[in-house]
Amino acid sequence: MKRLEQTFTDNRTKDETTLVAYLTSGYPHLGETVGLISAAVDAGADVIELGVPFSDPLGDGPVIQATGQAALDTGTTTAATLDVVAEARAAGVEAPIVLMGYCNPFLRYGLTQLYDDARSAGADGFVVPDLPVGEGAEWLAQAEAAELGQTFFTAPGSSPERMAASAAASRGFLYVLAANGVTGVRSELDPGIDAYLERVRAAGDTPMAVGFGISRPDHVAALHGKTDGVIVGSALLQAIGAARDAAGRRRAVTGLISSLKAATR
Amino acid sequence: MNGRFGEYGGQFVAETLVGPLQELEEEYQKALVDPEFNAELDKLLKMFVGRPTPITELHRLGVTENGVKLWLKREDLTHTGAHKINNSVGQALLARRLGKKQIIAETGAGQHGVAVAAACAYLGLEATIYMGRVDAERQAPNVQRMELLGARVVLVDLGTATLKDAINAAIREWIARPDTTHYLLGSVVGPHPFPTIVRNFQSVIGREARAQFLEENDRLPDAVVACVGGGSNAAGMFSAFLDDPVRLVGVQAAGEGKGGQGGHAAPLLYGDPGVLQGTRTYLLQDDDGQIQLTHSIAPGLDYAGVGPEHSHYKDTGKVEYISASDDEALDAFAALSSQEGILPALESAHAVAGALKVARQSAPGSTVLVNLSGRGDKDLTSAMAALKQREETAR
């Protein structure tokens, strides 16, 4: 949690947008995930959002859903993902790592055990897309007990009251959905995004990271100064999926993350 | 309305849907006390749906089981042939109040899809129906009906390509267009306020059945039985009897009849609490919380979750949940058809099979009221094929 806060604070001081890179744990293989995390961080990713796959990921579009299914098919679990985090730390990764996953696998693991084990493994927080603030009290209590971040969401249609509630509850950063709908590459940012981001900014001073549809350096550049962070997922996973072998996948991550990072300044 | 049934229910959804769900709840609360809305709903139920549906006393089936008298509540006689139309008409009126002309819905057996398509056609709304490809193949007549009624049918190939995946697809579509569309959920599942709204629109079944049974028998039935997939027909039926000294029995799909070994769709018997599709309820899930594959010969019961209110009734013992296998449902399907002249939906055949089990445990002269939630025309091809295959295997 401290590492997460520090990253956003440092980048704000440097006038850089924090770049959050989303990777699906276990995609394409569990054995490659640590290498892909390292490649992303080495290329400039400030925060890693590591997806724990779920059979019914309602907030995800076809790209992330397919990577999740592929990861499940090769046996990726919540416990295996915690091991990935521990291995990444052992391999010297120092960037904050937040775990993204849906309620059910986390509940099945047991919340108290989950937050304890996540802290032990070296994770920094949780992002749970089917957990709105109204359902989040117990999760938040566990996060605070384990000193981990807990991210809630705002959507374009969220009322000012709901934006304020989500911002106030979030520990680490607030996830700002750039658009209605599920995750996925979109060619253009919504024309109303600037006004929306101003509304979010007015809702509280929790660092905000914009995700859903951010895929290109020009998107990142266009958001400079309007948000604390940006989150890139589907575009990164598409690049990984298009590569032929493990080395190619790491190169794909390095290439895309470097170009996105350059646009954060 | 607080959205909880004991520890079940809630609103586990993307932030994008919290506003639309709140808007739906507020509009529903207004509609509940609006005499004009209620008058229009009553009129539609009478003039379009064909309510009240009768109750029918059976003369052969059940009598052989301990001399018990079975009665059916005939939701198969509604327009479009299943209880689903009650909720579809109600929610379509709500959508119109919300100013939403586009309706999205999911369907398993196709009965909800047909009901939505019919209600939307009548009220001038656009309907898009999501259906798993596997379900569409086994319920082809209903796909044709939906299309004739002017709906767009989208086939879903993901996951098991059954009801769960159709619900996922519909929710995703709703997340993308929450401002202009209403998601007309077909069962007492999903996030608050859907389980409550759908149960209330289906409570007409129980109200009518209770009054009709009293009028015919001067007493209440000893037991009331309904099938439970998502559980909307059962929730509507049971709602009228919750304060009565009546045994309430929900029948889940035991599928291949292997108990807890998979190949079924009975989370209330073999599942554990978890969160699926916006609600906390009993689920079929593995040790890592992934949703498991299900199987039932009845597409409308082929679902890994169940309405949260049923989960609460299970824990409190208010309702007893038993199961009927594919084979038992096929037996009931054939028996009700040949002995009583009534062709039930395979979903409803599970209720009949469950009622026969209840009858065997009941004292002679007891009465059992079964909700016959839908008619079986849609199942002719798959049920006849299954019966034939069974005959061949037995030879």
Side-chain angles (χ1 to χ4, degrees):
Chain A
M1 161 77 165
K2 282 205 179 110
R3 196 157 33 190
L4 200 53
E5 284 174 336
Q6 195 62 49
T7 300
F8 278 95
T9 304
D10 289 350
N11 281 329
R12 200 182 266 188
T13 309
K14 289 190 283 183
D15 193 28
E16 281 181 22
T17 313
T18 295
L19 178 62
V20 183
Y22 176 92
L23 292 165
T24 300
S25 172
Y27 176 74
H29 308 288
L30 260 175
E32 278 187 47
T33 304
V34 172
L36 294 174
I37 290 172
S38 297
V41 172
D42 292 347
D46 298 298
V47 177
I48 297 295
E49 188 185 346
L50 188 60
V52 181
F54 178 46
S55 53
D56 296 75
L58 277 174
D60 287 315
V63 172
I64 293 185
Q65 185 178 18
T67 63
Q69 192 54 55
L72 285 174
D73 292 344
T74 55
T76 306
T77 61
T78 305
T81 301
L82 292 171
D83 290 343
V84 166
V85 176
E87 286 164 29
R89 293 298 178 220
V93 172
E94 287 181 4
I97 300 176
V98 294
L99 296 171
M100 193 295 299
Y102 289 81
C103 286
N104 201 54
F106 288 162
L107 288 168
R108 187 75 179 176
Y109 194 95
L111 288 189
T112 304
Q113 191 74 45
L114 175 72
Y115 281 76
D116 278 355
D117 290 355
R119 184 164 82 152
S120 303
D124 296 272
F126 282 92
V127 176
V128 186
D130 55 347
L131 187 74
V133 160
E135 300 287 358
E138 196 189 339
W139 301 66
L140 203 47
Q142 297 290 347
E144 284 179 350
E147 296 180 331
L148 291 175
Q150 183 74 44
T151 286
F152 292 98
F153 289 74
T154 71
S158 298
S159 64
E161 295 76 28
R162 282 206 61 82
M163 282 185 184
S166 297
S170 292
R171 303 280 179 270
F173 67 97
L174 172 69
Y175 198 125
V176 181
L177 297 167
N180 288 332
V182 294
T183 57
V185 171
R186 292 166 173 85
S187 56
E188 303 294 333
L189 293 176
D190 188 285
I193 197 160
D194 287 3
Y196 163 50
L197 294 181
E198 279 170 29
R199 289 207 309 279
V200 180
R201 181 69 82 195
D205 56 7
T206 312
M208 53 199 256
V210 178
F212 280 36
I214 314 294
S215 59
R216 302 196 313 231
D218 61 295
H219 295 157
V220 178
L223 291 169
H224 185 257
K226 298 169 188 166
T227 173
D228 300 286
V230 292
I231 303 163
V232 180
S234 295
L236 190 56
L237 291 164
Q238 263 177 346
I240 291 170
R244 272 195 222 154
D245 53 20
R249 289 188 272 275
R250 284 198 300 277
R251 277 199 303 276
V253 168
T254 303
L256 182 60
I257 294 292
S258 308
S259 67
L260 293 169
K261 183 61 192 176
T264 64
R265 300 184 179 108
Chain B
M1 286 167 82
N2 71 4
R4 296 278 172 188
F5 306 95
E7 60 178 287
Y8 301 101
Q11 218 167 56
F12 297 88
V13 292
E15 178 66 22
T16 312
L17 293 181
V18 174
L21 287 168
Q22 203 172 342
E23 181 192 29
L24 174 62
E25 180 180 351
E26 284 165 10
E27 200 58 42
Y28 177 66
Q29 297 282 19
K30 284 185 212 157
L32 268 181
V33 293
D34 179 352
E36 215 171 288
F37 178 86
N38 288 305
E40 191 170 9
L41 178 59
D42 286 348
K43 189 177 171 188
L44 274 173
L45 288 175
K46 186 177 164 193
M47 313 286 283
F48 186 67
V49 173
R51 305 209 71 88
T53 58
I55 56 170
T56 301
E57 182 181 8
L58 301 188
H59 292 290
R60 278 166 286 279
L61 196 65
V63 176
T64 51
E65 310 283 351
N66 221 6
V68 170
K69 273 282 178 205
L70 290 188
W71 288 75
L72 302 182
K73 174 62 173 168
R74 299 294 304 281
E75 291 303 291
D76 59 315
L77 294 179
T78 54
H79 175 49
T80 71
H83 73 290
K84 296 287 186 184
I85 189 74
N86 306 318
N87 169 56
S88 293
V89 162
Q91 278 198 54
L93 282 181
L94 261 185
R96 214 176 57 180
R97 274 182 77 101
L98 286 160
K100 296 185 180 179
K101 294 196 163 159
Q102 293 174 329
I103 303 294
I104 46 182
E106 84 298 328
T107 194
Q111 297 291 51
H112 175 54
V114 170
V116 168
C120 288
Y122 191 74
L123 294 171
L125 303 166
E126 282 174 39
T128 302
I129 317 282
Y130 292 83
M131 189 172 194
R133 189 175 289 276
V134 169
D135 289 342
E137 279 162 12
R138 46 184 174 168
Q139 307 279 253
N142 272 344
V143 177
Q144 290 166 341
R145 278 188 198 109
M146 283 183 260
E147 287 174 342
L148 265 175
L149 291 164
R152 187 168 72 98
V153 181
V154 179
L155 299 186
V156 179
D157 278 314
L158 293 165
T160 51
T162 59
L163 180 57
K164 166 179 80 80
D165 309 291
I167 296 178
N168 285 348
I171 292 177
R172 285 170 173 192
E173 185 57 26
W174 194 33
I175 294 177
R177 298 185 289 146
D179 300 336
T180 56
T181 56
H182 173 68
Y183 177 23
L184 207 165
L185 224 172
S187 193
V188 288
V189 301
H192 171 69
F194 282 114
T196 302
I197 289 179
V198 178
R199 180 248 281 143
N200 290 354
F201 281 137
Q202 293 295 3
S203 64
V204 65
I205 304 172
R207 281 198 308 277
E208 282 180 10
R210 189 177 184 281
Q212 290 164 325
F213 196 93
L214 271 175
E215 195 182 318
E216 292 293 331
N217 297 281
D218 288 324
R219 54 183 285 250
L220 291 170
D222 295 296
V224 172
V225 180
C227 67
V228 179
S232 69
N233 87 82
M237 183 63 153
F238 295 160
S239 66
F241 296 93
L242 292 171
D243 298 327
D244 295 325
V246 170
R247 182 178 172 195
L248 302 177
V249 182
V251 186
Q252 292 225 283
E256 295 160 0
K258 297 187 295 189
Q261 309 300 307
H264 60 80
L268 288 169
L269 279 81
Y270 308 117
D272 306 287
V275 169
L276 177 66
Q277 292 167 340
T279 196
R280 181 176 151 79
T281 191
Y282 274 85
L283 301 178
L284 293 173
Q285 56 182 322
D286 68 14
D287 291 343
D288 198 44
Q290 307 298 338
I291 307 305
Q292 286 187 316
L293 301 183
T294 54
H295 165 79
S296 170
I297 194 169
L301 305 181
D302 202 349
Y303 182 54
V306 63
E309 192 166 16
H310 288 292
S311 294
H312 179 55
Y313 290 152
K314 174 196 160 72
D315 283 8
T316 56
K318 187 84 211 169
V319 179
E320 200 181 318
Y321 294 92
I322 62 172
S323 66
S325 67
D326 289 351
D327 270 337
E328 290 166 332
L330 279 170
D331 288 340
F333 178 88
L336 191 69
S337 303
S338 62
Q339 296 180 39
E340 304 287 346
I342 297 168
L343 178 56
L346 281 173
E347 290 75 16
S348 319
H350 283 74
V352 175
L356 291 173
K357 291 183 186 185
V358 169
R360 271 170 231 138
Q361 303 159 350
S362 301
S366 304
T367 51
V368 179
L369 175 61
V370 187
N371 192 28
L372 199 77
S373 54
R375 69 176 184 228
D377 312 36
K378 70 185 179 66
D379 295 312
L380 277 180
T381 309
S382 58
M384 294 312 284
L387 285 168
K388 195 175 166 198
Q389 191 187 3
R390 216 165 58 162
E391 256 175 47
E392 281 168 7
T393 315
R395 268 185 212 143

